[in-house]
Amino acid sequence: MATKQTTQILKRLRSLMKDTTFVTEAIQAYIVPSGDAHQSEYLADSDQRRAFVSGFTGSAGTAVITETDACLWTDGRYFNQAEKQLDANWTLMKEGIPTTPTQGAWLAKTLPVGSKVGVDPRLFSKDQWTPLSKTLKSNGHILVPVERNIVDAIWDDKPPPPSHVIQPLGIEFTGKSWQDKVKDVIQEMDAKNCSLLLLTALDDIAWLLNLRGSDIQYNPVFFSWALVKTNGEIHLFVDPSKVTLSVRQHLNLEADVEMAELVSSQTNNNVLAILHPYEDVDGFLAAEIPQQPKKIWISDKSAVAFSNLVAEDILCSDVSPVVFMKAIKNPVEMAGMENAHIKDAAALCCFFAWLEKEVESQRVVTEISAADKLAGFRAEQADFVGLSFDTISSSGSNAAIIHYKPSSETDRPINDREIYLCDSGGQYKDGTTDVTRTVHFGCPTPFERQCFTRVLKGQMSLATCLFPSKIKGNVLDVLARKALWDVGLDYLHGTSHGVGHYLCVHEGPMGISWRVYPDDPGLSENMVLSNEPGFYQDGEFGIRIENLVKIVPAKPENNFKDRKFCTFENLTFVPIQQKMIIAEMLTKEEVAYIDQYHTQCRDKVAPLLQKMNKKEGLNWLMRETEPVG
Amino acid sequence: MATKQTTQILKRLRSLMKDTTFVTEAIQAYIVPSGDAHQSEYLADSDQRRAFVSGFTGSAGTAVITETDACLWTDGRYFNQAEKQLDANWTLMKEGIPTTPTQGAWLAKTLPVGSKVGVDPRLFSKDQWTPLSKTLKSNGHILVPVERNIVDAIWDDKPPPPSHVIQPLGIEFTGKSWQDKVKDVIQEMDAKNCSLLLLTALDDIAWLLNLRGSDIQYNPVFFSWALVKTNGEIHLFVDPSKVTLSVRQHLNLEADVEMAELVSSQTNNNVLAILHPYEDVDGFLAAEIPQQPKKIWISDKSAVAFSNLVAEDILCSDVSPVVFMKAIKNPVEMAGMENAHIKDAAALCCFFAWLEKEVESQRVVTEISAADKLAGFRAEQADFVGLSFDTISSSGSNAAIIHYKPSSETDRPINDREIYLCDSGGQYKDGTTDVTRTVHFGCPTPFERQCFTRVLKGQMSLATCLFPSKIKGNVLDVLARKALWDVGLDYLHGTSHGVGHYLCVHEGPMGISWRVYPDDPGLSENMVLSNEPGFYQDGEFGIRIENLVKIVPAKPENNFKDRKFCTFENLTFVPIQQKMIIAEMLTKEEVAYIDQYHTQCRDKVAPLLQKMNKKEGLNWLMRETEPVG
């Protein structure tokens, strides 16, 4: 993780901020957001603009460049990484620390009166634009759209946009045809009095059409836009070279647009997919808007460049209906998630059995070579497609970097003197996994064991709680932290994120954090979330224990006001290392929970290991799942 | 609690909704909010407009009248009460239940397209106006201000506004002079680039000027407005008949306004109070606005009628700075709160000792006569001023009505067969109290005991937790509910509210609830809050255990990232009835906590009872504080 020299980049950027071939009038600040034109979290190389200007490569962060300052906002997962990657031109702004100003407050205070702040309106969502614009305005500044991206203009060796083919995902994996999903979407549009819906989030489009791509590493999505009309048309804007014959068949595509529109006018109540080039979305949307009999639905999570095309009184800016639909897994999707997790657990059992032996034998295994080996075990599993994110394979002090990714400069051998934290996941055609285990191959210190036990207590407290359905996820966050808070410890990240079905490993709209997820519809049956408290001692070690869980109905002895109490059930079945646990700190119920969990690990994963003839993995699983109590 | 016949009232109201002497054009809906022109929670009789039109007398609720419907929104504390008080003209809208639409959503859906919704802009804050106006607009309706209040026009026997004299509160109670407080406010104004601040909340003004009144029952406030200017002037708008000589001396008031302004122009940097008639605020504000060199601060919690006078770009609509100042008690205020609670506990010991004896002797004590007796015990204490809210003296099924107030129709004898719940508080010159105890004078059922024990476990879990300072209160809410959720139980009210110092018993901006308090600055040292989980079995019984607590620094063994961990300390020291506790359901730590709490009750309250020669109260205290363990 090297520090990037940004003096020249900033100099060129600042010069273009005054260049009227780019801006109508000089701007005093330029914002470089993290996302792409689809507001993706993970990015194609060609969209890594913030990393290019600042050097900071984490998945979340916003750069703001003024004539004199360059600041980078990121959250607690990335403080250490950002400190290492940013050069002296940059100031790190630590989000989540009470004294850190927001970007708006900082700009308002720092800029000379009457300043202009520029941003690419494709890279900024409406819900980012509106409050920032208001803050700036009330402090005498103005937020202006800069249509030509200034970073792209100075990015000499910018990679080309990705262009991989798209694959259909069969009904045996999706559980529902894309036509039925589009019909559900149209129902939601009717309920909101909308006749046109623009989808810009890549995972929304992939889920809705039962298609998967590989334009963005780890996220099986493809660059596209989609427009749904209540007459049953779904217009897909995508590079035609990505659309294979199997995709055309899957979508029942007609030979050309004119023919499709002809068929559409005849079939009326049926759902019909129509293909357009990716670039045509603006023109098509602009032509459709004046013709709409009802409102136009463009989520305020979409680029402000789109919502700016629509008058406020005919705009519905609610969250896309697909977001809520894909958060509730259908029975086929859930069965796939469960199966993917058993395969994933088998791979992890083989990995940890192998790693333990290598370390014991004093053979050199580094963070990177371990991650590669783990990927190899995953690749042996059926329907494996790839990893779901960069493997966080981290030893000793590297494990304190919450979203660490080993690089050639930071790579360390895994040994029997330090904690090893491994956070990894796979994409399988039947589901997405994300699991963290923290282990020690020698003798952990009493403090390490105490911290691990407290993290585990929090993890169990959340896993076993009952809650009335539809409560917001943030309500439960403290359950995962209480055992740490009791002794003055904490972790600077959320406790839980939603997970897609063979889609993005971070999927909204719900989550569990001290922060409120603004679009959280309330925790409901058949959602899939992570449960991942941690503890990080900077420069020394890191601990995280992560399972994915599904929400299931609970059956408590009372049923107050028919609140439909729910609880969590584990999807992840990988043993927890008992050496790290101080059993005396556990209650009787906690010991029983761990033993029961380990019994489930055996029952679910051992048969697959046997079938695959993975003796070492099986032996490891059996040994690691001996009862604590 | 009788049902009010509202047919005639609604008929007259609907007729005026079309009467152009009141409205420019006919309105299709009229909103009757709960508050007064100061957005008070508790109201003077002359401001009980929502109770007048609907019959519902609870402290929170909004009535909406359309041409065909009449709906009342209120929260879970009041569902039972509202059901009893509303006649068949009304539909109860249960807030906090996921399926209940918001007022905006309901109006948007119910009204014919292009409807006008009217509201008195004095009774509606800007933060109520803005989102409702937006929702209505995006659904083709419009929110319009109706300057002449339509309820007042049909309220034939409307009581006159109260007119009680104001009292200064000495520095021995307040700990800080009003001049120093005004100087602090001016600092905050400078920091926000404001030259004028309008205060409309009655408790803000009372706290800032170290004055107390009695215009609103239970809340020692007086009707007034205040304008602070950064030149040091504070303009107080109040009925001159309320301003006694002692108040004039306290405020160093000059003989008349002209003289005061003369002095002001000479002293410049000093703080100067200037008196105006209550009604003059609009004219004075309108004249001041164009003269301001900087921004004008009018909180969006104030009536929209005021913020409408100011152009958006020179308006600061942040929460009033006084809100945050008075939430952090200074050492004198906190010592006063502690002392008030010891006096209050002594009164409660005498009360419960007396009540137990009366019930045992089969003498008739009703909810009302018990509440009166309790008020009498409080009145024996030094510096007692009055009650801090209507005593909730409730027996059996009445205790399930969360904010029950006994009336002649509902009054029941207290007996040894049913639970008795008593939620009460006092105003003392040195502090405000609020305490709930739930007792049984005979044999509680196993289910009652189980519920009580779970409520107590939640209460203890919150009381004993450690947390990083500045976290929002809502984060902690689940700690108080977990033991109930574990068996499918819950309570439909928040867990905690802030409490004023000899001021309002409900004081913002923080609190602990599943709902987020939008202006919560984060929990901080020297805040005072309630801790009051409960459980209510409709038609059978109610349980609530409430202490007031203060926030103090904790001293955990670690100090992660210098997060300044805090915890709570009890201010309330009234024994918890052990008969209601199932000791086997408690952990060792919980038993130790109760025993320690009871020891504190003895140590703190027994000396006062001895001094007052209250033998029965003292005996009761000693008996009730025997160790559990």
Coordinates of all heavy atoms in Angstrom, one line a residue, chain B residues 184-229:
Chain B
D184 N -23.5 33.5 26.6 CA -23.2 32.2 25.9 C -24.0 32.1 24.7 O -23.6 31.6 23.6 CB -23.6 31.1 26.9 CG -22.6 30.9 28.0 OD1 -21.6 31.6 28.0 OD2 -22.9 30.2 29.0
V185 N -25.3 32.6 24.7 CA -26.2 32.5 23.5 C -25.6 33.3 22.4 O -25.5 32.9 21.3 CB -27.6 32.9 23.9 CG1 -28.4 33.2 22.6 CG2 -28.3 31.9 24.8
I186 N -25.1 34.5 22.8 CA -24.5 35.4 21.8 C -23.3 34.8 21.1 O -23.1 34.9 19.9 CB -24.2 36.8 22.4 CG1 -25.6 37.5 22.7 CG2 -23.4 37.7 21.5 CD1 -25.4 38.8 23.5
Q187 N -22.5 34.1 21.9 CA -21.4 33.3 21.3 C -21.8 32.4 20.3 O -21.2 32.3 19.2 CB -20.7 32.6 22.4 CG -19.6 33.3 23.1 CD -18.6 32.4 23.8 OE1 -18.8 31.2 23.9 NE2 -17.5 33.0 24.3
E188 N -22.9 31.6 20.6 CA -23.4 30.7 19.6 C -24.0 31.4 18.3 O -23.8 30.9 17.2 CB -24.6 29.8 20.2 CG -24.1 29.0 21.4 CD -23.2 27.9 21.0 OE1 -23.4 27.3 19.9 OE2 -22.2 27.6 21.7
M189 N -24.6 32.5 18.6 CA -25.1 33.3 17.4 C -23.9 33.8 16.5 O -24.0 33.7 15.3 CB -25.9 34.5 17.9 CG -27.2 34.1 18.6 SD -27.9 35.5 19.5 CE -28.4 36.6 18.1
D190 N -22.9 34.2 17.2 CA -21.7 34.6 16.4 C -21.1 33.5 15.6 O -20.8 33.6 14.4 CB -20.6 35.2 17.4 CG -20.9 36.6 17.9 OD1 -21.6 37.3 17.2 OD2 -20.4 36.9 18.9
A191 N -21.1 32.3 16.2 CA -20.5 31.1 15.5 C -21.4 30.8 14.3 O -20.9 30.2 13.4 CB -20.4 30.0 16.5
K192 N -22.6 31.1 14.3 CA -23.5 30.8 13.2 C -23.7 32.0 12.3 O -24.7 32.0 11.5 CB -24.8 30.2 13.7 CG -24.7 29.0 14.6 CD -25.6 27.9 14.1 CE -25.4 26.7 15.0 NZ -25.9 25.5 14.4
N193 N -23.0 33.0 12.5 CA -23.1 34.2 11.7 C -24.5 34.8 11.7 O -25.1 35.3 10.7 CB -22.7 33.9 10.2 CG -22.4 35.1 9.4 OD1 -21.9 36.1 10.0 ND2 -22.8 35.1 8.2
C194 N -25.1 34.9 13.0 CA -26.4 35.4 13.1 C -26.4 36.7 14.0 O -25.6 36.7 15.0 CB -27.3 34.4 13.8 SG -27.7 33.0 12.8
S195 N -27.2 37.6 13.8 CA -27.2 38.8 14.6 C -28.5 38.9 15.4 O -28.7 39.8 16.3 CB -27.0 40.1 13.8 OG -27.9 40.1 12.7
L196 N -29.5 38.1 15.1 CA -30.8 38.1 15.7 C -31.3 36.7 16.0 O -31.2 35.9 15.1 CB -31.8 38.9 14.9 CG -33.2 39.2 15.5 CD1 -33.0 40.3 16.5 CD2 -34.1 39.7 14.4
L197 N -31.8 36.4 17.2 CA -32.3 35.1 17.5 C -33.7 35.3 18.1 O -33.8 36.0 19.1 CB -31.4 34.4 18.5 CG -31.9 33.2 19.2 CD1 -32.1 32.0 18.3 CD2 -31.0 32.8 20.4
L198 N -34.7 34.6 17.6 CA -36.0 34.6 18.2 C -36.2 33.3 19.0 O -36.0 32.2 18.4 CB -37.1 34.6 17.1 CG -38.5 34.5 17.5 CD1 -39.0 35.7 18.4 CD2 -39.5 34.3 16.4
L199 N -36.6 33.4 20.2 CA -36.9 32.3 21.1 C -38.4 32.3 21.3 O -39.0 33.3 21.7 CB -36.2 32.4 22.4 CG -34.7 32.4 22.4 CD1 -34.1 32.6 23.8 CD2 -34.1 31.0 21.8
T200 N -39.0 31.1 21.0 CA -40.5 31.0 21.1 C -40.9 29.9 22.1 O -42.0 29.9 22.6 CB -41.1 30.7 19.8 OG1 -40.7 29.4 19.3 CG2 -40.8 31.7 18.7
A201 N -39.9 29.0 22.4 CA -40.3 27.9 23.4 C -40.3 28.5 24.8 O -39.3 29.1 25.2 CB -39.3 26.8 23.3
L202 N -41.3 28.3 25.5 CA -41.5 28.9 26.8 C -40.4 28.5 27.8 O -39.9 29.3 28.7 CB -42.9 28.7 27.4 CG -44.0 29.1 26.5 CD1 -45.4 28.9 27.2 CD2 -43.9 30.6 26.1
D203 N -40.0 27.2 27.8 CA -39.0 26.8 28.7 C -37.6 27.3 28.3 O -36.8 27.6 29.2 CB -39.0 25.3 28.9 CG -38.7 24.5 27.6 OD1 -38.9 25.1 26.5 OD2 -38.3 23.3 27.7
D204 N -37.3 27.6 27.1 CA -36.1 28.2 26.7 C -36.0 29.6 27.3 O -34.9 30.0 27.9 CB -36.1 28.4 25.1 CG -35.5 27.2 24.4 OD1 -35.4 26.2 25.0 OD2 -35.3 27.4 23.1
I205 N -37.1 30.3 27.3 CA -37.1 31.7 27.8 C -37.0 31.7 29.3 O -36.2 32.5 29.9 CB -38.3 32.5 27.3 CG1 -38.4 32.5 25.8 CG2 -38.4 33.9 27.9 CD1 -39.7 33.0 25.2
A206 N -37.7 30.8 29.9 CA -37.7 30.7 31.4 C -36.3 30.4 31.9 O -35.7 31.0 32.8 CB -38.7 29.7 31.9
W207 N -35.7 29.4 31.2 CA -34.3 29.0 31.6 C -33.3 30.1 31.4 O -32.5 30.4 32.3 CB -33.9 27.7 30.9 CG -32.5 27.2 31.3 CD1 -32.3 26.3 32.3 CD2 -31.3 27.5 30.7 NE1 -30.9 26.1 32.4 CE2 -30.3 26.8 31.4 CE3 -30.9 28.3 29.6 CZ2 -28.9 26.9 31.1 CZ3 -29.5 28.4 29.3 CH2 -28.6 27.7 30.0
L208 N -33.4 30.7 30.2 CA -32.4 31.7 29.9 C -32.4 32.9 30.8 O -31.4 33.4 31.2 CB -32.6 32.2 28.4 CG -31.7 33.2 27.9 CD1 -30.3 32.7 27.8 CD2 -32.1 33.7 26.5
L209 N -33.6 33.3 31.2 CA -33.7 34.5 32.1 C -33.8 34.2 33.5 O -34.0 35.1 34.4 CB -34.9 35.4 31.6 CG -34.7 36.0 30.2 CD1 -36.0 36.7 29.7 CD2 -33.6 37.0 30.3
N210 N -33.7 32.9 33.9 CA -33.8 32.5 35.3 C -35.1 33.1 35.9 O -35.2 33.6 37.0 CB -32.6 33.0 36.1 CG -31.3 32.3 35.8 OD1 -31.4 31.2 35.2 ND2 -30.2 32.9 36.0
L211 N -36.2 32.9 35.2 CA -37.5 33.3 35.6 C -38.4 32.0 35.5 O -38.2 31.1 34.8 CB -38.1 34.3 34.7 CG -37.4 35.7 34.7 CD1 -38.0 36.6 33.6 CD2 -37.5 36.4 36.0
R212 N -39.4 32.0 36.4 CA -40.4 30.9 36.3 C -41.8 31.5 36.5 O -42.0 32.5 37.1 CB -40.2 29.9 37.5 CG -38.9 29.1 37.4 CD -38.8 28.2 36.2 NE -37.5 27.4 36.2 CZ -36.4 27.8 35.7 NH1 -36.2 29.0 35.1 NH2 -35.3 26.9 35.8
G213 N -42.8 30.8 35.8 CA -44.2 31.3 35.9 C -45.1 30.2 36.2 O -44.7 29.1 36.6
S214 N -46.4 30.4 36.0 CA -47.4 29.3 36.2 C -48.5 29.4 35.3 O -49.7 29.2 35.6 CB -47.8 29.3 37.7 OG -48.3 30.6 38.1
D215 N -48.2 29.8 34.0 CA -49.3 29.9 33.0 C -49.8 28.6 32.5 O -50.9 28.5 32.1 CB -48.8 30.8 31.8 CG -48.8 32.3 32.1 OD1 -49.4 32.7 33.1 OD2 -48.2 33.0 31.3
I216 N -48.9 27.6 32.6 CA -49.3 26.3 32.1 C -49.2 25.3 33.3 O -48.1 25.2 33.9 CB -48.4 25.8 30.9 CG1 -48.7 26.7 29.7 CG2 -48.7 24.4 30.6 CD1 -48.0 26.3 28.4
Q217 N -50.2 24.6 33.6 CA -50.2 23.7 34.7 C -49.0 22.7 34.6 O -48.8 22.2 33.5 CB -51.5 22.9 34.7 CG -51.8 22.3 36.1 CD -53.1 21.4 36.1 OE1 -53.7 21.2 35.1 NE2 -53.5 21.1 37.3
Y218 N -48.4 22.5 35.7 CA -47.2 21.6 35.8 C -45.9 22.1 35.2 O -44.8 21.5 35.5 CB -47.5 20.2 35.2 CG -48.8 19.6 35.7 CD1 -49.8 19.1 34.8 CD2 -49.1 19.5 37.1 CE1 -51.0 18.6 35.3 CE2 -50.3 19.0 37.5 CZ -51.2 18.5 36.6 OH -52.4 18.0 37.1
N219 N -46.0 23.1 34.3 CA -44.8 23.6 33.7 C -44.6 25.0 34.2 O -45.4 25.9 33.8 CB -44.9 23.6 32.1 CG -45.0 22.2 31.5 OD1 -45.1 22.1 30.3 ND2 -45.0 21.2 32.3
P220 N -43.5 25.3 34.9 CA -43.4 26.6 35.5 C -42.9 27.7 34.5 O -41.8 28.2 34.7 CB -42.4 26.4 36.6 CG -41.5 25.2 36.1 CD -42.5 24.3 35.3
V221 N -43.7 27.9 33.5 CA -43.3 28.8 32.4 C -44.4 29.9 32.3 O -45.4 29.9 33.0 CB -43.2 28.1 31.1 CG1 -42.1 27.1 31.1 CG2 -44.5 27.4 30.7
F222 N -44.1 30.9 31.5 CA -45.0 32.0 31.3 C -45.0 32.4 29.8 O -44.0 32.3 29.2 CB -44.6 33.2 32.2 CG -43.1 33.6 32.0 CD1 -42.8 34.6 31.1 CD2 -42.1 32.9 32.6 CE1 -41.4 35.0 30.8 CE2 -40.8 33.3 32.4 CZ -40.4 34.3 31.5
F223 N -46.2 32.8 29.4 CA -46.3 33.1 27.9 C -45.4 34.3 27.6 O -45.6 35.4 28.2 CB -47.8 33.4 27.6 CG -48.5 32.1 27.4 CD1 -49.4 31.7 28.3 CD2 -48.3 31.3 26.3 CE1 -50.1 30.4 28.2 CE2 -48.9 30.1 26.1 CZ -49.8 29.7 27.1
S224 N -44.6 34.2 26.6 CA -43.6 35.2 26.3 C -42.9 34.8 25.0 O -43.0 33.7 24.5 CB -42.6 35.4 27.4 OG -41.9 34.1 27.6
W225 N -42.3 35.8 24.4 CA -41.3 35.6 23.3 C -40.0 36.3 23.7 O -40.1 37.3 24.5 CB -41.8 36.3 22.0 CG -43.3 36.1 21.7 CD1 -44.3 37.0 22.0 CD2 -43.9 34.9 21.0 NE1 -45.5 36.4 21.5 CE2 -45.3 35.2 20.9 CE3 -43.4 33.7 20.6 CZ2 -46.2 34.3 20.4 CZ3 -44.3 32.9 20.0 CH2 -45.6 33.1 19.9
A226 N -38.9 35.9 23.2 CA -37.7 36.7 23.4 C -36.9 36.8 22.2 O -36.8 35.9 21.3 CB -36.9 35.9 24.5
L227 N -36.3 38.0 22.0 CA -35.4 38.2 20.9 C -34.0 38.6 21.4 O -33.9 39.5 22.2 CB -35.9 39.4 20.1 CG -36.8 39.1 18.9 CD1 -37.4 40.4 18.4 CD2 -36.0 38.5 17.8
V228 N -33.0 37.9 21.0 CA -31.6 38.2 21.5 C -30.9 38.8 20.3 O -31.0 38.3 19.2 CB -30.9 36.9 21.9 CG1 -29.5 37.3 22.4 CG2 -31.7 36.2 23.0
K229 N -30.2 39.9 20.6 CA -29.4 40.6 19.5 C -27.9 40.5 20.0 O -27.6 40.5 21.1 CB -29.8 42.0 19.3 CG -31.3 42.1 18.8 CD -31.8 43.6 18.8 CE -31.1 44.5 17.8 NZ -31.7 45.8 17.7

